[in-house]
Amino acid sequence: MNAAEDRAENIRLLRDSAAAVVAPGDMKRIRVLRFREPGFDRATWQAMCDMGWAGLRVPEAAGGSGLGMQEYCALAEELGAGLVPEPLIPCAMSARLLAGDALAGLLSGERVIIPAWQECANTLDAQGDTTVAGGRASGRKMFVPMAAGADAFLVSGRDGLALVDRAAPGLRLTIERTQDGGNFGTLSLADAHCTPVAGDMAAAIEEAALATAAYLLGVMDRAFAITLDYLRTRQQFGRPIGSFQSLQHRAADLKIQVALTRASVDSAAATLDSAAAPALRQAAVSRAKARAADASMLVTRQAIQLHGGIGYTDEYDVGLFLRKAMVLANLYGSAALHRRRYAAAAPDQDDE
């Protein structure tokens, strides 16, 4: 089996393994968990860790799987299709930076360690004004995803990174609920006890942004599939509404959006796996994230409209996909931010 065949087999196995936690068409588990702390199920998270998902991007020598971004994005897409709330993307980001006992505890599922790197909205800057020197951390971190379920936080600052236990003296955590039923946390750090961690979050943020784009691809693809089923079964004037030409045109436009997003995510994952130059990697990630953010909002909104009145009810599942897109579209950078970064990072086409 050559390298391409081996990668294809890994991707197939990962997609198949996702069936253990993803149940398309059955949102009962998602509905039970939303708007309740911590917003996800620790038993399900443990099962995900047992399958090695948290260490997907961690080298084998450090206890991970050592797989590439193409495998990671394939898994993230499957999780998006099932609206899985467990914090795989944030924890995988932490796993890329931790070592020793901290990494072992995360990979085993014993501890949930969430990165806390943002100090303002819509940024990719992980440094900010927070200080993490001398075994103490001081500053403020915002928009920490699923913080209510965290055992510890990987905090970034202008001096480096530090691991801060949730119960550490000097740390105050405020939780706010999000549209999808999850939560964001705000960390207020006042000389909080911390442990220094070597590393730089920049590359890990790039991977998390692309994985989020892949998750959004799964969200929009599943919302579109639900809508197609509805168009085929809902009857009006004695025939399925999917036979109406105007609705067929709208569905075709949405299918194109899903296909373009898939191509962009796949291309970006291949670029990151090829060890391309930093500017090319940033351009590829920004192109994929900008498209996924915009397309997911368009597809999920149109999905609700194509369902008519029932699509606007909370009891109908298609609305859950719009709620998820609303939360993730701006996480790890909005479409506008990534378009600006793409314009700055992309190679000049006239020079090719």
Side-chain angles (χ1 to χ4, degrees), residues 13 26 33 50 74 103 124 146 152 167 186 208 231 258 261 263 288 293 310 325:
L13 291 174
D26 184 5
L33 292 171
D50 290 343
L103 175 60
L124 295 176
M146 305 308 275
T186 298
L231 295 178
V258 173
T261 303
I310 192 173

Side-chain angles (χ1 to χ4, degrees), residues 24 41 56 77 86 90 113 130 152 156 191 207 228 240 258 266 277 292 325:
D41 178 40
L56 204 69
E77 180 188 343
E86 282 70 30
I113 303 176
T130 300
S156 66
D191 283 334
E207 294 185 1
L228 284 184
V258 173
D266 289 347

Side-chain angles (χ1 to χ4, degrees), residues 38-76:
F40 63 92
D41 178 40
R42 289 297 291 250
T44 300
W45 172 247
Q46 181 66 61
M48 293 166 70
C49 291
D50 290 343
M51 289 187 283
W53 293 357
L56 204 69
R57 293 286 294 144
V58 176
E60 291 185 72
S65 303
L67 297 178
M69 284 303 298
Q70 293 176 69
E71 290 90 341
Y72 185 16
C73 287
L75 177 59

Side-chain angles (χ1 to χ4, degrees), residues 181-252:
N183 56 81
F184 280 159
T186 298
L187 271 63
S188 297
L189 303 158
D191 283 334
H193 292 261
C194 65
T195 303
V197 174
D200 184 345
M201 274 193 180
I205 291 173
E206 297 291 330
E207 294 185 1
L210 182 53
T212 301
Y215 190 106
L216 285 169
L217 170 61
V219 169
M220 72 178 86
D221 193 26
R222 181 58 188 156
F224 180 61
I226 292 172
T227 303
L228 284 184
D229 288 342
Y230 181 79
L231 295 178
R232 293 187 185 110
T233 57
R234 177 73 167 90
Q235 297 220 352
Q236 199 169 50
F237 306 113
R239 58 189 178 124
I241 62 174
S243 65
F244 301 155
Q245 192 174 62
S246 63
L247 298 186
Q248 289 177 353
H249 289 169
R250 291 174 67 179

Side-chain angles (χ1 to χ4, degrees), residues 18 54 63 97 104 108-110 126-127 131 136 147 179 201 205 223 235 249 255 257 265 274 321-322 335 349:
L97 297 160
S108 69
E110 180 182 348
Q127 293 184 342
T131 60
R136 294 281 193 268
Q179 281 283 342
M201 274 193 180
I205 291 173
Q235 297 220 352
H249 289 169
K255 184 174 183 179
Q257 290 296 324
V265 169
S274 68
F321 293 83
L322 172 58
Q349 301 298 319

